[in-house]
Amino acid sequence: MVRRSVLFSPGDKPDLMRKAAMGDADVVVFDLEDAVAPADKGQAREAVREVLDEIDPDCEVAVRVNPIGLGAMTDLEMILEGPRPDSIMVPKTEDETDIQRIEARLEDADASCPVLALIESAAGVLRADEIAAVDATDALLFGAEDLAADIGATRTSEGTEVLYARERTVIAASAAGIDAIDIVYTDYGDTDGLREETTFARQLGYDGKMAIHPDQVPVINDAFTPSDDDIEWAERVLAAHTRSDTGVFEVDGEMIDAPLIAQAERILERAEEAEN
């Protein structure tokens, strides 16, 4: 399942949810947390359940519930009564017990939804590896804005104040063999800035990026889809590897060893996922 772009849509706006689900995002998140005012939570739960019952999208549909202890179980009780989403997103995940509580509730309802865990607090960053190791966890998502607020950092365009946490999250996800999804780029009108930041996220090892506006989706999808040049390089590397009887060999004047072979395999895997 490819998760290049993860687009959020307010849970109390049925028309926007339907439109988002018919778009080009790999994952659409019906949001019951930050996008919905406290007084509108009940209405939003009803709206999400109704839209889930109506749509038949090609993308993965997730529901972001409220944090553990602040409405998550009420959200699940309502959502699981009707057609189930493809996955459940848990905000402000601070340790593995948060995911285990969601996992237990899903098992009680005989629901097999994978869990997408948002890492957006100091506690969550420090326990990212434990959160990623829970069987139900299928992706870690890094939330820089909430983390900055939690630790009292000032957000900057360079992002150095959250770089350690950003790297720790992707490493924890990689060690567990699950997806890592990068931060939201809040200036949705700045296409060049989004493209630059998404390229950097890919260089860090992220598999995808969160989006808050549909216009961000094509830029993100493109950045996480291997280029024709990358694919051709990977094919040449793997073809030469098949012919070679040594651990190190040359392709286009470049010495190729095991890490570059693994990189070539990953490029072709990503290209295949993007086509499906």
Side-chain angles (χ1 to χ4, degrees):
M1 180 184 297
V2 64
R3 291 179 175 132
R4 298 167 299 178
S5 51
V6 179
L7 175 64
F8 288 80
S9 188
D12 59 347
K13 300 290 191 296
D15 289 343
L16 292 182
M17 287 190 284
R18 294 186 191 99
K19 184 176 180 179
M22 297 300 113
D24 295 325
D26 293 328
V27 184
V28 170
V29 183
F30 296 163
D31 189 10
L32 293 174
E33 193 211 9
D34 286 346
V36 179
D40 297 331
K41 299 289 186 182
Q43 173 189 342
R45 293 179 185 116
E46 291 281 0
V48 167
R49 190 170 66 173
E50 290 175 7
V51 173
L52 286 172
D53 189 38
E54 295 170 6
I55 61 174
D56 184 22
D58 293 328
C59 65
E60 175 183 356
V61 176
V63 173
R64 176 162 72 168
V65 297
N66 285 280
I68 298 294
L70 294 173
M73 295 307 168
T74 303
D75 294 337
L76 283 180
E77 182 178 357
M78 175 72 76
I79 298 304
L80 296 177
E81 287 180 358
R84 277 77 186 273
D86 299 306
S87 53
I88 298 294
M89 184 178 293
V90 182
K92 299 177 177 60
T93 308
E94 300 214 326
D95 58 39
E96 69 274 20
T97 62
D98 287 347
I99 304 301
Q100 289 166 348
R101 289 181 62 184
I102 297 292
E103 184 179 32
R105 180 65 186 88
L106 291 171
E107 289 177 355
D108 288 344
D110 196 26
S112 58
C113 303
V115 176
L116 315 180
L118 268 162
I119 306 299
E120 45 190 347
S121 68
V125 170
L126 292 179
R127 300 186 183 105
D129 52 346
E130 299 167 11
I131 294 167
V134 179
D135 287 343
T137 307
D138 205 46
L140 294 185
L141 303 92
F142 177 53
E145 309 306 322
D146 282 280
L147 175 67
D150 185 49
I151 65 176
T154 300
R155 288 289 280 126
T156 66
S157 57
E158 294 81 9
T160 53
E161 70 283 352
V162 296
L163 182 57
Y164 164 74
R166 199 176 181 186
E167 292 175 329
R168 184 176 176 114
T169 299
V170 73
I171 288 171
S174 180
I178 62 176
D179 289 335
I181 310 300
D182 190 46
I183 59 180
V184 166
Y185 190 74
T186 56
D187 187 355
Y188 59 82
D190 180 10
T191 300
D192 291 338
L194 172 63
R195 185 176 292 107
E196 181 179 352
E197 187 176 271
T198 306
T199 299
F200 180 62
R202 188 190 64 211
Q203 292 169 348
L204 288 178
Y206 276 90
D207 300 290
K209 191 171 182 64
M210 292 181 277
I212 56 173
H213 193 281
D215 288 349
Q216 295 180 313
V217 169
V219 176
I220 294 171
N221 283 349
D222 181 65
F224 282 104
T225 301
S227 67
D228 291 342
D229 288 344
D230 288 339
I231 294 171
E232 290 172 5
W233 173 84
E235 290 173 340
R236 289 197 300 273
V237 167
L238 295 183
H241 176 51
T242 301
R243 297 190 301 267
S244 176
D245 56 1
T246 63
V248 179
F249 52 92
E250 182 179 333
V251 172
D252 300 336
E254 179 183 18
M255 297 307 297
I256 305 296
D257 57 5
L260 289 178
I261 293 169
Q263 181 180 341
E265 291 172 338
R266 181 59 177 150
I267 286 172
L268 295 186
E269 180 183 339
R270 284 179 179 270
E272 182 178 358
E273 288 174 344
E275 290 179 357
N276 296 331

